[in-house]
Amino acid sequence: MNNRVSAASRVGAILLFVVLAVSAAVGMLMAHLADPAARLGSTSGVMLFNHSSPVSDFKFIDQHGEHRDQASFSSGWKLVFFGYTFCPDICPTTLADLNRVWKALPDEARQRLDVVFVSVDPQRDRPASLAPYLQYFNPAFVGLTGNPQALAQLAQEINGFYARVDRGEAPYLMDHSANLMLVDAQWQFRGYIEPPFRPGRLTPILAALAGM
């Protein structure tokens, strides 16, 4: 009898341990899923740095000819993409994807995000050409141009790359980085998102970012 009681006690203790362990694991999983930073940090192709770095203030002109500095933006995350209107492939594809994602996001998420298209070709990208270009994709997107020095400084601070590619008699092209750079509401460089930017992949990423 005592042996049966002892065995039953051991079985009960083991079952209790299993239940507690499973409950703890579920709790940790739910906490992870509820934490946007944790979700982003474990998402392939998304890099969030342990330490942020400040972005210097700047003076650009936007697609409407208005002067823009950091204070002219909303207090949300900035998705910064370097490109140019003469780009034959990467830029139109990325902007089209971002437009589809933008439309799929809830209003409260859009209010916490700014898509910022920084021209790496200020020589050709004037407001007169930049405005209809961005209007075609999404009028809510902000285009910045008109200041080569500010461009160089910003690219250096948030790991953007660009370089002119001369092609003889043909119009020159620009090589440039394809990542979406992540800058928070305090203008701190926090990380980046690598392509591809398919809506099915990017929409939950940006929704989580807006929740941080």
Side-chain angles (χ1 to χ4, degrees):
M1 184 68 161
N2 290 337
N3 289 338
R4 288 199 297 272
V5 172
S6 177
S9 298
R10 288 197 297 272
V11 170
I14 292 172
L15 289 175
L16 178 61
F17 174 80
V18 170
V19 169
L20 291 175
V22 170
S23 298
V26 170
M28 292 175 63
L29 176 60
M30 294 302 294
H32 175 82
L33 293 176
D35 182 359
R39 294 205 306 274
L40 288 174
S42 62
T43 301
S44 176
V46 178
M47 175 61 69
L48 287 180
F49 303 142
N50 293 326
H51 302 286
S52 60
S53 57
V55 178
S56 302
D57 203 357
F58 48 71
K59 293 187 183 300
F60 285 107
I61 298 174
D62 68 14
Q63 70 265 42
H64 307 296
E66 301 292 331
H67 292 280
R68 301 298 293 258
D69 57 11
Q70 291 181 356
S72 68
F73 285 85
S74 64
S75 58
W77 284 79
K78 286 76 184 168
L79 312 172
V80 182
F81 179 69
F82 292 94
Y84 66 118
T85 63
F86 288 82
C87 180
D89 42 31
I90 295 176
C91 297
T93 299
T94 298
L95 290 170
D97 285 340
L98 286 172
N99 177 55
R100 286 191 287 269
V101 171
W102 190 260
K103 292 179 177 178
L105 290 170
D107 289 340
E108 57 270 23
R110 289 198 294 265
Q111 292 172 6
R112 294 178 55 83
L113 299 171
D114 285 317
V115 175
V116 185
F117 179 81
V118 181
S119 172
V120 298
D121 187 15
Q123 178 178 336
R124 293 183 294 189
D125 284 345
R126 309 295 176 85
S129 60
L130 194 57
Y133 184 77
L134 290 178
Q135 177 73 25
Y136 174 80
F137 293 103
N138 193 311
F141 296 170
V142 178
L144 299 180
T145 189
N147 191 335
Q149 291 74 31
L151 167 63
Q153 180 73 22
L154 180 61
Q156 180 181 12
E157 291 181 346
I158 65 174
N159 292 344
F161 164 81
Y162 63 97
R164 175 168 168 154
V165 180
D166 290 312
R167 302 190 300 160
E169 297 298 324
Y172 67 85
L173 298 176
M174 298 294 294
D175 277 346
H176 59 89
S177 49
N179 292 340
L180 282 178
M181 307 305 182
L182 303 178
V183 178
D184 68 16
Q186 289 73 44
W187 286 95
Q188 300 283 316
F189 177 40
R190 297 286 300 278
Y192 58 87
I193 305 172
E194 297 176 343
F197 302 126
R198 293 185 298 270
R201 171 181 178 258
L202 191 59
T203 301
I205 292 174
L206 297 191
L209 188 70
M212 289 179 58

